[in-house]
Amino acid sequence: MSAATQQRSIAARTEVWIIWLVIVALGYIGVYRSLQNEYEHAVTQLEQRLSVSTSAQAGLISHKLDGLMGLVDAVADNASVKLYLSTMNDNGSADAAQASATFLRNYVVAMAQQSDLMPLQSQLDEVRANIERRSDRGLAIVRSNMEPVVATNAFPDGRKVASQESYGGESIIVADDTLWFRAPIYPIQSDDAPVGWVLAALPFEVTMQPLLVNKYDKESAVISRIVRETDGRIELLAMRPTPDVADTSNNTMPAYERAFYAPRSMQSGINASGDASYVFAEPIRAASWQLVQEINETAALGDVQRRHMMVNLIYWMAALAITLIVIALWRHLSSQRMAAMMHDIKTHEVLLEMITDHIPMRLMITDRGHRVRYANKELLQGLDLNADDIAGKKLTQILGPAQAENYIKTSEKVLYKNIEESIWHEVEGRFGIESVQDIQLVPLDNLPDKYAAADGRGVLIIEHDLTEVMQSKQSHQVMLDKPVDTLVILVDQRDPNAANHSAGVAYIATAFAETIALDTQHIEAISIAGGLMIIGKILVPQSHTTMSTRRHE
């Protein structure tokens, strides 16, 4: 197969593969868009689920906080509490103060027992054993100067949260892992300054953790957090799952910050463990907090991702299977076409050799390296060699360096200019022409590998043996020249004064004809005409052509 044929075959295969790759790419684009739409739909559904979940949990937390705050406000707004506390602050009789304190203590205990504010018995036992221990919950009334009035047993130390200026006047406070509720007690007929405070305390984690549990799916992968902004950073207040579940997150995740400052919209980001996750924030109405729910992307969309991975795997496996089938069919058909092509080439080669072997001219084909690739029967007989003797050998090895040099130079010129060239090789002997050869060199392209190198280029060399023709022509020329020379001698004898004049004219005329590049026949005719230019003197009397005096008519 020639280089050009190989290039065309490679170009055809390349086009087919490009078309196939385009088909596969377009198919995958369609699959990818479908999977992407499905993924976006799944993300939208996840956002809706997180929105419903966070809204419900934030509502439960707000309801719990509103209930506790309502109890504290009810105690602070109770008219009897205001009256008795005012009586105690006015430094009345000891009996009146004792009666007021008894009423307030009984009222506080009764209100604490209605909620979760009553200390646990186990904590009270610990307090009896260690006087410095305090309970983690309770309800108390204090004066405006933070002096306790009445409180449940082992009430926590609430002095730092009791003043109006503390914590910016907030009613619900988280301090030292304790959830505080406070409400001012104003005099019955004045709202100028409070006469005291109602304080309620609960352990924050114990109070909030149950509210962060998903009651419908306790095995949910959602992590719920209560967060707030403190001094420009996001602070974690409570978290679910409980601490026995590993959690590598921190309190200042960028995704949490975006969710905090853009509530009610799902945000995506990377948590501290390096996993992709989605977060959704919902404000808690009763406090300046937000409930943030986080779910790992794999846990939330794992089924969709696995399905997408499976679809991608099936698609590429199908594309690979189809590609292998196409390759197998291509190779099978190519082998059949190659076998048919080789049969045709062999048939053509046999036919070509039959034709060239019966041509009465020497033929050979050389490649770019001047190696003989083919020689016909006439050439082999002339060199007295067989085909195996010259196959692949250089011209210098077959013809000799001197004779091959002219062939090689002309061959390089033919290949470089891609034009035909001729070599005229004539050998003169003692008795005239011994041999004459007209050698034509023709450039060839797209030759099969058998007749050329990798580039498919070569030179067809045709040797025309013109020895007999030129010898016959020379004989005819001699026969023609003898009568002409005889006539020239006769003319010179008739007029000795003009001897050799005809020969000089013939010489000058021939030289001029060669200078203006006339063909051989015209040059020969001019030479003959120059020699016979004064042939007319034969008819003039010799006395007239040789007289020495002036002739008068």
Side-chain angles (χ1 to χ4, degrees), residues 406-466:
N406 200 13
Y407 283 81
I408 292 172
K409 289 182 179 180
T410 309
S411 296
E412 291 178 350
K413 182 178 179 182
V414 165
L415 291 173
Y416 178 74
K417 294 186 176 181
N418 199 30
I419 59 173
E420 295 184 17
E421 290 286 342
S422 296
I423 301 175
W424 183 266
H425 184 66
E426 182 176 337
V427 179
E428 292 283 347
R430 182 177 180 183
F431 302 102
I433 297 175
E434 287 189 0
S435 67
V436 177
Q437 288 182 331
D438 183 16
I439 305 169
Q440 290 183 290
L441 290 89
V442 182
L444 300 176
D445 294 323
N446 303 325
L447 287 173
D449 294 340
K450 180 179 179 180
Y451 302 115
D455 60 355
R457 301 199 68 197
V459 178
L460 173 63
I461 300 176
I462 307 171
E463 296 183 358
H464 301 271
D465 190 354
L466 302 179

Side-chain angles (χ1 to χ4, degrees), residues 206-380:
V206 175
T207 304
M208 293 293 106
Q209 284 288 353
L211 301 178
L212 297 179
V213 177
N214 188 337
K215 64 175 65 178
Y216 303 105
D217 184 9
K218 295 185 179 181
E219 301 298 326
S220 173
V222 175
I223 299 176
S224 298
R225 294 176 173 86
I226 298 176
V227 298
R228 69 179 177 182
E229 183 181 15
T230 303
D231 298 330
R233 65 183 183 89
I234 304 303
E235 180 184 6
L236 173 66
L237 298 179
M239 180 180 69
R240 183 72 183 183
T242 49
D244 61 326
V245 178
D247 178 73
T248 59
S249 62
N250 54 42
N251 299 337
T252 57
M253 290 184 182
Y256 282 6
E257 293 182 5
R258 289 196 298 271
F260 185 90
Y261 294 113
R264 297 190 177 93
S265 64
M266 188 170 69
Q267 304 293 322
S268 62
I270 304 297
N271 58 24
S273 61
D275 298 327
S277 62
Y278 292 98
V279 292
F280 195 95
E282 180 71 25
I284 297 175
R285 184 184 65 257
S288 58
W289 309 336
Q290 290 196 29
L291 174 68
V292 178
Q293 288 191 342
E294 177 216 335
I295 184 168
N296 187 281
E297 182 182 25
T298 302
L301 304 173
D303 292 340
V304 176
Q305 291 174 339
R306 286 188 289 272
R307 185 164 58 254
H308 288 188
M309 186 181 300
M310 184 61 65
V311 170
N312 281 321
L313 179 62
I314 292 173
Y315 178 84
W316 289 114
M317 289 183 65
L320 178 61
I322 294 174
T323 302
L324 294 177
I325 292 173
V326 170
I327 291 174
L329 290 174
W330 184 292
R331 291 179 65 88
H332 177 68
L333 296 176
S334 296
S335 63
Q336 290 184 338
R337 288 196 301 269
M338 183 62 68
M341 184 184 301
M342 294 304 295
H343 179 267
D344 292 341
I345 290 174
K346 187 63 177 178
T347 302
H348 294 160
E349 287 180 355
V350 172
L351 179 61
L352 176 63
E353 291 179 0
M354 290 176 61
I355 294 173
T356 55
D357 285 344
H358 290 80
I359 294 177
M361 293 180 291
R362 293 182 175 186
L363 299 177
M364 64 177 168
I365 297 176
T366 61
D367 60 17
R368 183 180 285 275
H370 310 299
R371 297 179 182 274
V372 177
R373 295 286 185 154
Y374 171 75
N376 71 340
K377 185 177 181 180
E378 185 74 16
L379 178 62
L380 294 174

